[in-house]
Amino acid sequence: PEQCPYLKFPVNGIIGDDLLQSLFQANKLPRFHNQQIPADMVNKEKKDYCGLDYRQFSRSATTFFRCHENSVPDLSLAGLALLALMHGFADVTGRKEFKRWVLKKPKYEFHIQNIINDFPKAKLIYLLRNPAQSSISRSIKRKKKEHVKNVQAGLTNDQLRLDKPGVNFSDLHEWKQSVSKIKLFQKKYPSQILIVRYEDLTQRPKDIMTEVAVFLGIGWQSSLLTPTFMGKPWAGNSMRDKKFSAVEKNPPRMIPIHTQWQVQSILGRTMNDWGYIPEVQIPRINIRGFFSLLPGENWKTATRSRISFILRNRSKHQR
């Protein structure tokens, strides 16, 4: 029905002595096993899984796995586990005959070769976003989670303040690693990987979703523009805690010039490769940007990237 966190365990090989027993531990399946995720300061919506028979899901997936674990030599155990989970989910939701199944989880780009080895016809859609804007969203989410922990621990009664979410160096570094991986595998499997820019999706949703439908080989459906959750209309998961019924078109958050300069010094060339051109003219040198660090950044890395950026800008101006 949505992002399923337990799927990362077989893909990453984080399993116990018995694969299925490890996967079906309660702490590996919090969303299905607990039946309901209550609303809190991080997730404003209560997510209800009461319609799913967890025992049937577990029993069906386990039965499928046991029946095939010694008779499908082309699949790794991790691949078979994923397939078993999908068959279990199809069974419990009354979709015993299905042609396709979908995984939605970050960081699968680091396991593309394993996935295609197990499922040669797999297709992957990679959603790309401006790394600075993405980092701010992640910063907001981290602050919300940290605040919830502090409230639960009795460390604070203050209201959560999100007036100055910032860009984090670790997010930028992770973005660079991610786009490097997807670029490598798109060259290797051009017909199986589609890259979609978040900004294009929010500005031209029908055009982009038409492209997605063609890529997947499915007919156009209105549901491609109207998200659902467990078969019901879904208001989405907005970092702004807003209700919405279609693709959001919020403008990007304003980022201070010195932070933009820092981001450009770290990712400028890579961002440009993906069509992310600075909206304002970035100065060749920004004093505040040079002599301050992003959260998670160290001086050695910062100095190297800043000087390299200044030299690149200098040679560009000389040309």
Side-chain angles (χ1 to χ4, degrees):
E2 63 161 332
Q3 178 173 316
C4 299
Y6 58 84
L7 293 178
K8 69 182 179 182
F9 290 95
V11 169
N12 289 339
I14 306 173
I15 55 177
D17 294 335
D18 184 280
L19 181 61
L20 263 294
Q21 185 179 11
S22 176
L23 285 173
F24 283 111
Q25 289 174 357
N27 65 333
K28 301 287 198 302
L29 290 162
R31 300 187 178 188
F32 286 171
H33 189 268
N34 294 342
Q35 299 293 294
Q36 198 172 81
I37 303 298
D40 57 29
M41 300 184 74
V42 177
N43 301 297
K44 296 294 185 181
E45 297 288 336
K46 182 163 61 176
K47 300 174 182 179
D48 192 346
Y49 292 90
C50 294
L52 286 176
D53 185 333
Y54 178 81
R55 290 184 179 179
Q56 181 187 347
F57 171 53
S58 174
R59 184 168 56 249
S60 178
T62 302
T63 299
F64 183 93
F65 185 85
R66 298 297 180 218
C67 288
H68 295 88
E69 62 181 328
N70 295 317
S71 60
V72 190
D74 294 335
L75 274 179
S76 67
L77 283 180
L80 180 59
L82 290 177
L83 190 58
L85 290 170
M86 290 302 103
H87 274 272
F89 185 74
D91 181 43
V92 80
T93 54
R95 299 185 181 185
K96 297 184 181 181
E97 297 294 330
F98 64 96
K99 296 180 180 179
R100 302 177 178 87
W101 46 281
V102 181
L103 307 182
K104 174 182 177 288
K105 189 77 179 79
K107 301 184 181 180
Y108 275 171
E109 65 271 23
F110 296 103
H111 306 283
I112 289 176
Q113 192 61 64
N114 291 338
I115 292 171
I116 291 182
N117 285 346
D118 280 334
F119 306 103
K121 294 182 180 180
K123 292 195 173 185
L124 300 101
I125 301 172
Y126 180 85
L127 189 62
L128 177 70
R129 188 181 183 186
N130 183 305
Q133 296 293 330
S134 176
S135 181
I136 291 175
S137 287
R138 296 175 73 172
S139 174
I140 292 173
K141 190 171 184 178
R142 283 192 291 262
K143 284 187 176 183
K144 286 182 176 181
K145 287 187 174 183
E146 186 64 28
H147 183 70
V148 170
K149 288 181 181 179
N150 290 338
V151 170
Q152 292 173 342
L155 300 176
T156 181
N157 291 317
D158 297 336
Q159 290 292 317
L160 176 64
R161 296 187 60 182
L162 295 171
D163 49 346
K164 291 184 179 180
V167 176
N168 191 290
F169 175 77
S170 62
D171 294 334
L172 302 183
H173 179 66
E174 187 176 300
W175 184 89
K176 188 173 183 178
Q177 288 183 312
S178 179
V179 296
S180 174
K181 280 290 183 183
I182 203 66
K183 186 176 182 179
L184 174 69
F185 281 108
Q186 193 189 40
K187 286 183 178 179
K188 190 172 183 179
Y189 302 106
S191 64
Q192 291 179 260
I193 297 176
L194 175 67
I195 298 175
V196 173
R197 293 202 330 162
Y198 169 91
E199 294 78 10
D200 297 334
L201 176 63
T202 57
Q203 294 302 316
R204 301 183 291 109
K206 188 166 184 178
D207 291 342
I208 298 302
M209 292 312 296
T210 299
E211 183 182 354
V212 168
V214 171
F215 170 73
L216 294 176
I218 61 176
W220 176 259
Q221 302 174 51
S222 60
S223 59
L224 292 171
L225 297 176
T226 310
T228 59
F229 175 79
M230 297 295 287
K232 300 176 183 178
W234 173 236
N237 178 24
S238 170
M239 285 294 116
R240 296 175 172 87
D241 298 323
K242 288 170 51 181
K243 296 277 188 179
F244 54 89
S245 58
V247 177
E248 282 271 64
K249 296 182 176 64
N250 286 317
R253 295 178 180 87
M254 295 299 295
I255 300 176
I257 289 294
H258 76 276
T259 302
Q260 293 187 48
W261 189 89
Q262 291 170 324
V263 172
Q264 283 293 312
S265 75
I266 297 166
L267 292 178
R269 286 179 172 176
T270 309
M271 290 178 67
N272 294 346
D273 288 344
W274 295 99
Y276 291 112
I277 309 299
E279 295 181 7
V280 297
Q281 183 65 36
I282 301 296
R284 186 160 66 90
I285 300 177
N286 182 283
I287 300 301
R288 184 177 176 184
F290 190 96
F291 289 103
S292 62
L293 296 176
L294 292 172
E297 194 176 24
N298 62 62
W299 278 115
K300 181 179 179 180
T301 302
T303 302
R304 186 164 57 242
S305 68
R306 309 288 197 269
I307 292 176
S308 176
F309 180 60
I310 292 170
L311 293 176
R312 288 201 308 272
N313 274 353
R314 181 182 179 183
S315 61
K316 184 169 64 176
H317 281 95
Q318 288 176 341
R319 287 199 302 269

